[in-house]
Amino acid sequence: MKVDRDQGRLRISGNAMEARVLRHILDAIITNYRTPPDQMDPKAAAAWYSTRGCQTAGLSAEDTRDWLEQLHGYRSANLALLEDCAAQLARRAQGRRELRVPLDQAEALLTAFNDHRLLLAARHDIGQEEMDLPGLHALRKLSSERQLALFEIHFLAWLIGEMLRLIAPEAASWQASCAIAGEPTRASQINRQRIRTSPNPFFQSYTR
């Protein structure tokens, strides 16, 4: 997969298999962005809609509901962008598939990708220990669902880094793993690169 800029747009291109993985991720984000906070499973809701800050601030139940509605509305406002991205990847084309986003909307896409990483980490109990597992062989101790979640977390970490390199060079050294479990480690950085460059059996899990 490759990320570059072209005539005022961010372009993400990849082969059919890479496009299928990214479309699967976008479809999952769209579904979760549409879901009201009170209808999400508790672990996912805690990742996106934690009310601990409201409790600390002494907000009433009504004010807390209003705050959650505002957060949900913020995410829902990006549904049209995400649906367009998924539609672009769904188009049949020979050779590489492309996704193009205006630069002024790239930050919203990047945020959605990181939201998905946070949700996966919370839903599947993935922390730094899992992020640092040394290579694909070490993932065998995890369930198949946790393996796929970890694959997507690393895949999106690489993609977010490439996007930042183009839209916010001053943040190019940002390491996505710190958004999940403390400061990034050398092992998690290596794993992200390995998942991108090695023949990877996880790509075969996305058959749609």
Side-chain angles (χ1 to χ4, degrees), residues 112-146:
F113 286 157
N114 201 52
D115 274 349
H116 188 63
R117 297 179 73 248
L118 293 171
L119 185 146
L120 288 175
R123 181 173 283 167
H124 297 283
D125 298 314
I126 291 174
Q128 199 63 56
E129 180 180 355
E130 289 76 20
M131 294 288 291
D132 290 347
L133 287 174
L136 298 177
H137 67 281
L139 299 182
R140 294 173 184 168
K141 72 176 188 178
L142 304 179
S143 68
S144 58
E145 287 187 353
R146 295 183 78 203

Side-chain angles (χ1 to χ4, degrees), residues 2-208:
K2 180 181 178 181
V3 184
D4 58 13
R5 291 174 61 159
D6 180 50
Q7 298 181 350
R9 290 178 177 265
L10 185 77
R11 177 172 60 186
I12 302 172
S13 60
N15 59 36
M17 185 64 71
E18 291 170 330
R20 188 176 299 145
V21 173
L22 193 53
R23 185 187 172 197
H24 167 88
I25 289 170
L26 285 165
D27 287 344
I29 297 172
I30 290 167
T31 297
N32 289 318
Y33 270 22
R34 287 175 176 159
T35 305
D38 60 357
Q39 294 181 23
M40 299 187 78
D41 66 82
K43 288 184 177 180
W48 285 4
Y49 301 109
S50 173
T51 58
R52 285 179 297 181
C54 297
Q55 296 169 0
T56 301
L59 295 185
S60 67
E62 182 178 356
D63 287 341
T64 298
R65 283 194 298 270
D66 289 343
W67 181 75
L68 291 176
E69 288 178 3
Q70 290 178 24
L71 284 180
H72 184 238
Y74 172 78
R75 289 188 166 94
S76 299
N78 292 318
L79 280 170
L81 167 65
L82 298 171
E83 289 166 351
D84 178 67
C85 290
Q88 289 184 52
L89 292 172
R91 294 171 190 156
R92 293 188 177 276
Q94 294 183 346
R96 296 178 70 79
R97 308 285 180 91
E98 289 190 352
L99 162 60
R100 294 171 179 260
V101 179
L103 289 177
D104 61 359
Q105 294 181 309
E107 183 178 349
L109 180 60
L110 186 152
T111 298
F113 286 157
N114 201 52
D115 274 349
H116 188 63
R117 297 179 73 248
L118 293 171
L119 185 146
L120 288 175
R123 181 173 283 167
H124 297 283
D125 298 314
I126 291 174
Q128 199 63 56
E129 180 180 355
E130 289 76 20
M131 294 288 291
D132 290 347
L133 287 174
L136 298 177
H137 67 281
L139 299 182
R140 294 173 184 168
K141 72 176 188 178
L142 304 179
S143 68
S144 58
E145 287 187 353
R146 295 183 78 203
Q147 289 180 38
L148 283 175
L150 187 58
F151 164 71
E152 289 186 14
I153 287 170
H154 282 309
F155 180 83
L156 288 176
W158 174 86
L159 185 56
I160 288 170
E162 290 297 293
M163 293 172 68
L164 280 173
R165 179 176 59 83
L166 294 170
I167 66 176
E170 69 280 2
S173 62
W174 178 86
Q175 302 296 340
S177 58
C178 65
I180 289 178
E183 290 300 317
T185 65
R186 178 60 178 164
S188 64
Q189 296 173 36
I190 291 172
N191 283 340
R192 292 211 309 267
Q193 188 63 20
R194 183 183 291 121
I195 275 179
R196 276 286 304 122
T197 58
S198 300
N200 196 315
F202 291 112
F203 281 106
Q204 304 305 319
S205 302
Y206 299 84
T207 57
R208 188 161 54 86

